[in-house]
Amino acid sequence: MKLFTVGPVMMYPETMNIAGKQLPYFRTEEFSRIVLTIEQKIKEVVNAKTDSKVALLTASGTGAMESVIMNSFDETDRLLIINGGSFGNRFCELAQIHHIPYDAIDIPFGEELTEEKLFAIDGSQYTAFVVNHHETSTGQLYDIKMIQRYCQKYQLFLIVDAISSFLADSISMDEDGISCLILSSQKALALNPGLSIVVVNSLFYERKIKNRPPKGMYLDLNLHFKNMERGQTPNTPAVGVILELADRLEKLDYQKEMEEIKKRANYFRERASKLEVILPNYPLSNALTPIILPKQNATAIFEILKRQGLMVTPSGGDLKDKVLRIGHLGNLTLQDYDQLLMALEKIMKKENPGA
Ligand SMILES: *Cc1c(COP(=O)(O)O)cnc(C)c1O
């Protein structure tokens, strides 16, 4: 089975090799050293200042999103959340659950978050801006520099979920004015699911997290930051995924990885434009290409491809029959796209696919 998904994605042999081994015990100096090296390397790849704080949470990305929302804000805050799909909506739901006032900027499918639309909103009543850099449900990539200008204008903290854009699209905590960045193991890092990473700069930590009483135990960021000082976690972490991450970061060439993903995205997009599909005209992440099926037969095509061992990413909700998403993350080659494009072309030539 070839995965053209966004997570889990095709893993590298080195990662699978590590995943197949006996785990070590983790309350040791040796393991602490591994974790501290990860902390340092993560800061380097996301261009965070050295006094930033890093937490390794044993949770999927949603756990990290929740930990940031619940550990940083309360009723006295007001968040401005970009809601352009299911992941933006998840931030709105988290704010509701944790009783944090917010307003959403809704971006209906097909529309773009433009400078005009954003700057028309008076931001003076907000404390923080919350965005999924790449809204994975639609493929839209938001302009982080534009968002940075908006946040500077109104002095807002900037919270960025870069879970699906990290390594696909360039992001820099320091240069993009990001207060808090969220990453996860199963997207472009191409590791097993279960580990998420929260990076916060020192200002955000001091002002919003440090002195706040805990609202829970497992996702308590202060507890994680405290333990991280000695390269440990408060509870048993996903030891195996941490070892996979250590290996991945040791070998990672950040620029080269981004170029590879971009090359695959461009290769697929050029050829897909010759099929009977429509590519959206809002800005796209390199992580995936959404293809709009004019005949509303996305589900049928998904099933046929799956039977052929080609797993693309289906959409949910209203987009289920309309949009398929073709992932570009992980261990994929241009030949893999040739195979997928050939299969797609064949299916679409038939009058009635799926019948
Ligand atoms: C995948 C993803 C997440 C995390 O989803 P989980 O299923 O909890 O891992 C969060 N945000 C974005 C933008 C994502 O693509």
Side-chain angles (χ1 to χ4, degrees), residues 25-291:
Y25 182 61
F26 67 101
R27 298 285 187 209
T28 61
E29 268 175 45
E30 290 79 3
F31 194 76
S32 291
R33 240 176 283 143
I34 292 171
V35 169
L36 290 172
T37 306
I38 288 175
E39 183 194 26
Q40 196 203 327
K41 290 230 161 100
I42 284 288
K43 286 181 189 173
E44 282 169 25
V45 289
V46 303
N47 199 17
K49 288 226 160 68
T50 47
D51 61 355
S52 303
K53 301 266 176 196
V54 177
L56 295 183
L57 304 174
T58 293
S60 85
T62 307
M65 292 162 77
E66 181 154 33
S67 81
V68 168
I69 297 297
M70 70 189 268
N71 285 286
S72 315
F73 305 111
D74 60 29
E75 313 76 46
T76 65
D77 287 286
R78 189 163 195 95
L79 311 179
L80 186 57
I81 301 174
I82 302 290
N83 182 7
S86 58
F87 290 102
N89 189 57
R90 192 166 298 180
F91 270 131
C92 296
E93 288 177 337
L94 286 167
Q96 277 165 35
I97 289 167
H98 295 285
H99 309 291
I100 296 149
Y102 75 95
D103 289 303
I105 306 178
D106 293 322
I107 316 283
F109 180 70
E111 284 183 26
E112 180 182 342
L113 175 68
T114 58
E115 180 139 18
E116 212 180 358
K117 188 164 187 164
L118 179 60
F119 281 80
I121 295 160
D122 176 8
S124 50
Q125 55 178 323
Y126 301 106
T127 44
F129 191 101
V130 180
V131 65
N132 317 91
H133 184 209
H134 165 212
E135 170 52 69
T136 319
S137 66
T138 66
Q140 180 157 179
L141 182 76
Y142 301 121
D143 181 344
I144 201 75
K145 297 283 183 200
M146 172 178 88
I147 290 170
Q148 178 185 19
R149 285 196 299 280
Y150 184 86
C151 291
Q152 277 168 347
K153 179 173 175 189
Y154 293 106
Q155 294 293 302
L156 310 182
F157 289 112
L158 174 54
I159 313 304
V160 178
D161 161 6
I163 291 176
S164 66
S165 64
F166 176 61
L167 290 179
D169 311 290
S170 102
I171 193 123
S172 160
M173 274 191 82
D174 201 26
E175 285 167 30
D176 302 335
I178 296 170
S179 315
C180 172
L181 192 74
I182 305 169
L183 308 175
S184 200
S185 58
Q186 80 274 26
K187 301 274 162 85
L189 284 165
L191 312 176
N192 274 294
L195 192 74
S196 294
I197 306 163
V198 175
V199 188
V200 300
N201 72 15
S202 59
L203 182 72
F204 187 70
Y205 167 70
E206 294 286 337
R207 296 268 175 86
K208 302 302 288 178
I209 300 178
K210 191 178 173 186
N211 295 316
R212 193 178 294 281
K215 288 193 192 155
M217 183 192 278
Y218 190 73
L219 294 175
D220 182 352
L221 282 178
N222 278 316
L223 213 50
H224 276 84
F225 293 148
K226 187 98 199 82
N227 275 267
M228 185 56 100
E229 288 170 16
R230 57 183 180 112
Q232 286 287 331
T233 49
N235 31 262
T236 311
V239 174
V241 190
I242 287 181
L243 295 179
E244 293 168 20
L245 178 61
D247 174 73
R248 186 82 163 97
L249 289 173
E250 189 187 320
K251 292 167 185 159
L252 185 69
D253 180 338
Y254 181 77
Q255 286 304 333
K256 186 163 164 277
E257 184 86 16
M258 280 213 301
E259 276 160 31
E260 292 286 320
I261 293 172
K262 190 174 177 185
K263 202 195 289 175
R264 294 198 288 268
N266 288 339
Y267 186 85
F268 177 78
R269 284 168 197 177
E270 259 168 47
R271 284 154 185 81
S273 60
K274 295 180 186 90
L275 298 173
E276 274 180 67
V277 300
I278 301 160
L279 302 195
N281 44 27
Y282 49 75
L284 294 178
S285 164
N286 292 316
L288 67 88
T289 304
I291 54 174

Side-chain angles (χ1 to χ4, degrees), residues 275 308 340-351 353:
L275 298 173
Q308 297 179 15
L340 176 66
L341 284 154
M342 213 145 52
L344 270 171
E345 198 181 341
K346 225 166 161 183
I347 295 168
M348 288 181 164
K349 267 196 191 135
K350 287 193 192 159
E351 250 323 281

